[in-house]
Amino acid sequence: MSAEEAGGDADDTPSRAELAARVEELEESLAAIEDDGGKKMSIIATKGTLDMAYPPLILASTAAAFGYDVTVFHTFWGLDVLHEEHSKSLQMSSVGNPNTPVPNAIAALPGMDRLTTRMMEGRIEDNDTATIEELLETSLEMGVEFQACQMTIDLMDYDEDDFFDGVTTGVGAATAVQDMAEADIQLLI
Amino acid sequence: MLLPPNTILGDEVKTMTEYEITETLDVKGENCPMPVVKTKQAVDDLDGDEVLEVLATDPGSMSDLGGWADSTPGVELLEQEEGEDVFKHYVRVAE
């Protein structure tokens, strides 16, 4: 091959050197994309009843297994799930939930929430469903970041030490919005 | 026939010995999301080309582990077996 051919024609055919440079450039930008390619999931967890504590934790641990970088921002009653004491005694009510076997008028009587909760706990145990504590621990092990909303910590009069080790405090809505903006999946539960 | 014995079974024998199981993860009795989550944790402890056997009783593990393996880079679902009581899954870690 002559030097002229290797250098390309005078018209718009790119030279070998130009092509090599272009390939190198594209490989660099591809590497940059792949470096930044970690998938992200952002969940806002607002509920603190025994039944509603599950979906954020199940999705968070599963997404972590899929290799997602997961953040769960707990706010309002969702804080109780991260609260070391309260998370052991999450309650559930039949009031407002017509799918439970207890009619609303009866469910509103004193002590009925405890009965509904016990019923649910029994089912969880019979079905070998993971406990909230187990799901939290597993998720933490897998690198899920649990955040406790600072404004609601103050609102509920909780202390930063009330939460499980590994829970991030001192974060607010702006952190959550930034997280959601960067995430591939955003959920409000 | 002059064919050596085992010729006909050859293929079958081969698929069964094509890979060697490195570790077995027993998640019998555990339910969603634990089979997938624990599989991921076990796979992270393996080296390239090693094979994890997962024993589960959760019928949802058939679909869940398949979906997980499909969208997780670096793992390959070699086989899933539906036994009478146990669902067996074989996951290979990419080299």
Side-chain angles (χ1 to χ4, degrees):
Chain A
M1 190 188 281
S2 75
E4 197 182 294
E5 275 174 327
D9 296 321
D11 48 46
D12 49 7
T13 313
S15 73
R16 182 168 293 200
E18 276 166 357
L19 283 173
R22 183 71 185 131
V23 166
E24 198 179 320
E25 199 180 299
L26 288 172
E27 274 173 354
E28 271 172 24
S29 56
L30 182 64
I33 290 165
E34 280 171 351
D35 270 353
D36 195 36
K39 292 174 287 184
K40 285 187 164 195
M41 179 166 176
S42 171
I43 301 176
I44 312 297
T46 63
K47 312 275 193 205
T49 55
L50 179 59
D51 51 337
M52 290 308 289
Y54 273 94
L57 295 177
I58 290 174
L59 291 169
S61 54
T62 304
F66 273 72
Y68 278 73
D69 190 355
V70 186
T71 307
V72 193
F73 182 85
H74 288 249
T75 184
F76 283 84
W77 311 111
L79 283 180
D80 285 337
V81 179
L82 302 181
H83 193 286
E84 250 183 303
E85 283 305 310
H86 295 189
S87 73
K88 293 190 184 91
S89 52
L90 297 179
Q91 301 280 306
M92 184 184 152
S93 180
S94 288
V95 175
N97 188 348
N99 293 326
T100 60
V102 188
N104 267 251
I106 296 170
L109 297 173
M112 286 307 288
D113 286 350
R114 205 167 303 156
L115 189 83
T116 306
T117 303
R118 211 168 297 158
M119 209 171 64
M120 188 72 190
E121 283 169 346
R123 288 203 175 192
I124 288 167
E125 205 178 318
D126 292 348
N127 196 44
D128 290 316
T129 301
T131 61
I132 292 298
E133 195 178 354
E134 197 181 339
L135 284 170
L136 258 174
E137 273 173 13
T138 309
S139 301
L140 280 166
E141 263 174 43
M142 301 188 79
V144 172
E145 184 177 348
F146 289 101
Q147 300 179 334
C149 163
Q150 191 60 43
M151 186 278 278
T152 41
I153 291 177
D154 298 340
L155 186 71
M156 306 287 189
D157 208 16
Y158 291 156
D159 195 90
E160 284 172 24
D161 302 330
D162 294 342
F163 300 99
F164 285 101
D165 288 344
V167 169
T168 308
T169 54
V171 290
T175 311
V177 170
Q178 186 188 14
D179 216 75
M180 286 188 276
E182 289 170 1
D184 302 275
I185 301 175
Q186 304 93 350
L187 294 172
L188 171 71
I189 302 178
Chain B
M1 294 249 284
L2 290 174
L3 292 171
N6 274 348
T7 303
I8 294 166
L9 290 173
D11 277 356
E12 207 178 309
V13 169
K14 202 179 161 210
T15 56
M16 297 190 70
T17 54
E18 222 171 8
Y19 49 89
E20 248 173 63
I21 296 159
T22 316
E23 286 283 341
T24 297
L25 172 71
D26 186 348
V27 285
K28 294 200 284 285
E30 299 200 47
N31 283 308
C32 173
M34 286 317 191
V36 165
V37 167
K38 290 194 172 169
T39 297
K40 159 71 175 168
Q41 288 180 315
V43 152
D44 282 348
D45 287 338
L46 293 184
D47 293 323
D49 217 25
E50 292 188 326
V51 174
L52 178 73
E53 176 185 49
V54 183
L55 307 176
T57 46
D58 172 17
S61 67
M62 291 300 276
S63 162
D64 279 3
L65 271 164
W68 168 78
D70 270 352
S71 20
T72 305
V75 297
E76 179 196 356
L77 186 63
L78 299 169
E79 200 178 351
Q80 288 183 303
E81 255 178 64
E82 194 171 338
E84 258 179 52
D85 307 305
V86 181
F87 300 93
K88 296 179 179 178
H89 314 268
Y90 298 91
V91 182
R92 193 209 320 257
V93 179
E95 283 195 69

